[in-house]
Structure formats: structure tokens, C-alpha cells
Amino acid sequence: AMPLRGRGPVHVRHLPPVPTAQLWQNPQLETDDKFEPEGAPHRFREYLRGCGVESEGLDRLIFAVPGTVDLMTESSSDRSDYTVVKNTPSMSPRFRGFDFKLAFREVCPRAKVSAVPDGLAAALGVACEHRHLRSALVLILGTAPAVATLFRDPSGKGRFVEVAIWQSWVWFTKIKLDDPYGYCGGLRVTPAGLRVKPKEAFKIPHHQARIRFALDALTWERLTGTCRELPPETQANLTPAEAGLVWAGRLQRAVDALAERFHSVYGPPEGIYVLGGNACAAQGHVSSAKYVVPETRSPTPATQACASQRYMSSAESEEELWQRVPVNVCECDTVQQQVALKGLLYATHFKLKQVSAPGQDPLARGWTRGGEIYLWVPKGGRREEEVPTGFVHDDHVAPKMDRAG
């Protein structure tokens, strides 16, 4: 979405979508990896010209990075200007170290440039659409599953919005598999550390899998028998309806486990939102998550508890408490794509006050709350309720914004 600034109201205009390959790839490259980030700015300018927009006139550019940005490259005086890619595991290693600010300086000389991890953009989009939510868990089912969280100022004064990436959760949380289709890839734990197994390695069937490998794009393709990267013996060859039921069963297990993880940090989430291109397959099948409240979980196995029940006090023998959380699965791909775009626009009304990154790598042990935690505060000392949201609507005339684009 692109606001056109002027002296009057801001007109929000949605430009036609463009495939990733058209902007970021060069089909003439002789390697299998066709991504060429360095040529993207000029292709970007040509795309805008085709839409009747001159890139030289833009005041603001903000990118959603399918991965992480480098938090060590910018001065602490302006944390909202992170522009260097750290890692894009679902795209190409050629993006590592790519600096959006330097790359787009020639084609957009007036624009302030920043980059936001796409998981955070999704969480901010949920915050923008649901201003009443105090806390939420966001699960993005794309090339690989990703988790982000939203937590608002508990005082109700709207002083900050905290969003975080929780990649350790999808990498290290295992879920039970109620189907015979197992998983491909995985992690190998050795005394020297962790390493990712090749995708050709598989355990089919298997009773459990890490969320990272239970709900990735390769798994969906295997279920439908369309994965060209893996051998025939890994393919399930299910119909779309059959694959959808298997997918929904795995998603149910995942949201149950992730909701409990969330509770351990923030308390019970008010909602869970499932986005991403592979989310729609479970639409209508998963409506809530259920988990045991961690504070009430009995440390004694059920069999032992029954045997020793007569020796326990009434307080010790109380049953575990269960919590249920509503789950919202996007109805179609077009709708879920707009959530992250709204998050990018919403981010332009905030400044980044604090960033915490306890883990050094998506596979690093020792994470406590998550991989990267971002604390956003409204610009100009405003409360969040004073931040406008009318700019997110198609062809909408919204109040004037702060150099958003």
C-alpha cells in the first residue's frame, strides 16, 4: 500500500502485486540460485513506473525481510533504521549482508529506508487490525513455520507494543504426529552442537516431529505428492481434502504446544492468528487451542499420582487446569498477505525504543523469551489509541501520516 503525500488528506492506493522472482531474481544467471538482490532496485523502479509512480519521489521505504536483520550495524541513536539483512533461510545466501539503504539510494534518493523481519510485520499487522488485543500469538506457515508474539502495555495506557520472534519454539518444540507421514530433515544433536540434517533424510512414519519440520512447505508438498525435491517413497499422494485434514491435525498440535509456551512468558494469549500461504488448508478445521496451565501442571506422572493419591493433601491432589484460546486461520492467501503489509504501514507510526536478542542464531540454545524482542513506542509521545489505522483500507482517504509509505 502506498500513501501519496500532499497538503491535503493522504490517499492510500494498493498497487498490483508483483511476483518475487520478477523483482529479486535474474533468470539469466547460470546457477540454480537465480536471486540477484543487487539488481532489484532498478527492477523496482521499472515496476513503479509501470504503475505510474516515480521512485525518485518516494519519501519512505520499508521492507519485510523473510528472515532477520542485523542488529549490530546501526548506531543506537536510531534503532528504527535497521537496513542490513542478517539471514533469509527461505530465499538465498546472497541476501546476507544486503543493505537496503545503500542499494536503493540511487533509485529512491529522498526516501528513508528501513527493514523489518516479516514475522514482526505480521505481528504488527495483527496489532493494527485488532486494537483491543492485549496479547496474541502469531504463527506463519510459509516455506518454514515461524512464530511471533504481540504484547501490549498491560497498564492500558498504550505506551508500548512489544513484538518478538520466537524461532527457538518452532525449532525445539516437538509435537505428536497422529498420522503415518513422518517428516523430512530434522536436527542432529551431537556433543559438538546442533546441525540441520539434509532434507533427503526422513523418518516415515514417526511418532513425533519438531514443529519446524512438521509444518514446512516440503511437508505440504509431500502430502499432496507434488514435491519434486524428495524421492517418491516420501510422497503421500493424498487428495487436497485428505492432505488438509492431516495438515489441520498437525496445526492443532502445534498451536496447543505454542500457546503453552506463550503462557509461560506472558500469561494466557487472548488469541492465536495463523497466517502464511499454507495456512488456508486448515481453515475451518482448527478453531481453538487447548493446553494445561503451566503453573498447575503436576510434576508427578499420572500413574504415580493415582498410586499415591491417598497420601496427598487436598491441595496437592487438585486436577490440572486447562486453558482454551480462540484460533483464527486466514480464509485465503490474499487476506493473509495484507496483514503483513498493514504491519509495515503501522510500524511507520512507531519508533523502536529497545531491542533484545538473547540468542545468536536460530539454533542457539539458551533462549529465554525468544530470539529477538522489539519494544515499539508511538511517535510524538502519543498513546497507541491515537495512532490512525484508516490508512489500511483500499482506496481510502485517511488523515495525514508521518512520512509513511
Side-chain angles (χ1 to χ4, degrees):
M2 192 182 106
L4 305 178
R5 296 182 66 235
R7 295 185 178 181
V10 175
H11 293 262
V12 177
R13 172 182 165 201
H14 286 260
L15 303 181
V18 56
T20 298
Q22 184 175 328
L23 291 183
W24 296 99
Q25 292 185 355
N26 180 357
Q28 298 180 353
L29 294 180
E30 296 181 356
T31 61
D32 292 336
D33 185 353
K34 302 296 183 182
F35 281 99
E36 186 191 51
E38 294 77 11
H42 295 285
R43 293 188 286 267
F44 173 79
R45 178 166 57 186
E46 294 305 311
Y47 160 71
L48 288 182
R49 283 179 177 173
C51 298
V53 177
E54 292 298 327
S55 63
E56 291 77 5
L58 294 179
D59 292 324
R60 189 74 167 90
L61 281 177
I62 181 166
F63 293 89
V65 177
T68 55
V69 295
D70 194 337
L71 303 178
M72 305 303 293
T73 57
E74 299 292 339
S75 67
S76 59
S77 61
D78 190 356
R79 297 185 178 92
S80 64
D81 278 351
Y82 294 117
T83 63
V84 179
V85 176
K86 181 179 181 182
N87 193 20
T88 56
S90 64
M91 297 184 73
S92 167
R94 291 176 179 167
F95 279 93
R96 291 172 185 160
F98 179 73
D99 190 332
F100 287 98
K101 181 186 293 185
L102 293 178
F104 283 82
R105 180 175 294 171
E106 179 183 348
V107 299
C108 303
R110 296 173 48 190
K112 177 181 178 180
V113 180
S114 59
V116 176
D118 58 352
L120 299 185
L124 287 170
V126 171
C128 178
E129 290 187 336
H130 306 279
R131 299 285 285 268
H132 64 283
L133 276 179
R134 291 174 296 180
S135 63
L137 175 73
V138 182
L139 175 60
I140 304 102
L141 299 181
T143 304
V147 175
T149 58
L150 159 68
F151 182 74
R152 281 190 162 102
D153 179 5
S155 71
K157 297 180 179 180
R159 293 175 299 184
F160 68 84
V161 177
E162 179 182 304
V163 289
I165 301 173
W166 301 66
Q167 284 307 87
S168 60
W169 289 6
V170 296
W171 280 96
F172 298 126
T173 302
K174 295 181 179 180
I175 59 173
K176 181 181 177 181
L177 299 182
D178 298 316
D179 58 73
Y181 306 112
Y183 68 92
C184 292
L187 294 182
R188 183 178 297 279
V189 182
T190 68
L194 296 167
R195 68 178 181 87
V196 181
K197 297 179 183 178
K199 59 178 177 288
E200 293 79 12
F202 61 86
K203 289 186 177 181
I204 302 174
H206 201 59
H207 67 284
Q208 65 179 6
R210 302 176 191 272
I211 293 175
R212 165 60 181 83
F213 302 101
L215 288 167
D216 59 355
L218 286 180
T219 298
W220 174 254
E221 292 174 359
R222 285 195 307 109
L223 292 176
T224 56
T226 59
C227 185
R228 299 179 180 179
E229 302 179 46
L230 295 173
E233 58 266 28
T234 67
Q235 313 284 333
N237 298 309
L238 303 177
T239 66
E242 293 170 336
L245 291 177
V246 173
W247 193 252
R250 294 186 173 203
L251 177 60
Q252 183 68 67
R253 292 283 189 177
V255 294
D256 290 348
L258 293 172
E260 182 176 348
R261 288 271 196 168
F262 185 102
H263 186 117
S264 298
V265 177
Y266 291 117
E270 291 189 351
I272 298 175
Y273 293 81
V274 184
L275 308 174
N278 291 329
C280 307
Q283 214 279 330
H285 297 292
V286 180
S287 59
S288 66
K290 184 181 179 183
Y291 64 94
V292 176
V293 175
E295 297 87 343
T296 70
R297 183 179 292 280
S298 173
T300 307
T303 53
Q304 297 181 25
C306 292
S308 59
Q309 185 75 25
R310 62 182 129 179
Y311 303 108
M312 299 172 63
S313 67
S314 59
E316 292 174 327
S317 61
E318 288 181 353
E319 293 184 358
E320 296 171 333
L321 297 179
W322 290 78
Q323 182 79 29
R324 190 177 293 275
V325 182
V327 175
N328 181 286
V329 181
C330 262
E331 59 186 15
C332 66
D333 194 38
T334 302
V335 172
Q336 70 87 19
Q337 288 177 9
Q338 292 297 317
V339 176
L341 294 177
K342 293 174 183 178
L344 293 178
L345 284 173
Y346 202 50
T348 63
H349 291 278
F350 293 79
K351 62 180 179 180
L352 194 55
K353 184 177 181 180
Q354 180 179 335
V355 178
S356 174
Q360 300 302 314
D361 182 86
L363 299 183
R365 295 268 188 185
W367 280 356
T368 53
R369 302 180 65 195
E372 294 178 4
I373 304 167
Y374 294 67
L375 191 69
W376 300 78
V377 297
K379 291 180 178 178
R382 294 178 294 182
R383 296 159 57 100
E384 189 189 359
E385 64 185 23
E386 298 174 318
V387 175
T389 58
F391 57 83
V392 301
H393 302 296
D394 290 326
D395 303 319
H396 185 84
V397 180
K400 191 170 181 178
M401 310 170 14
D402 294 331
R403 298 172 63 84

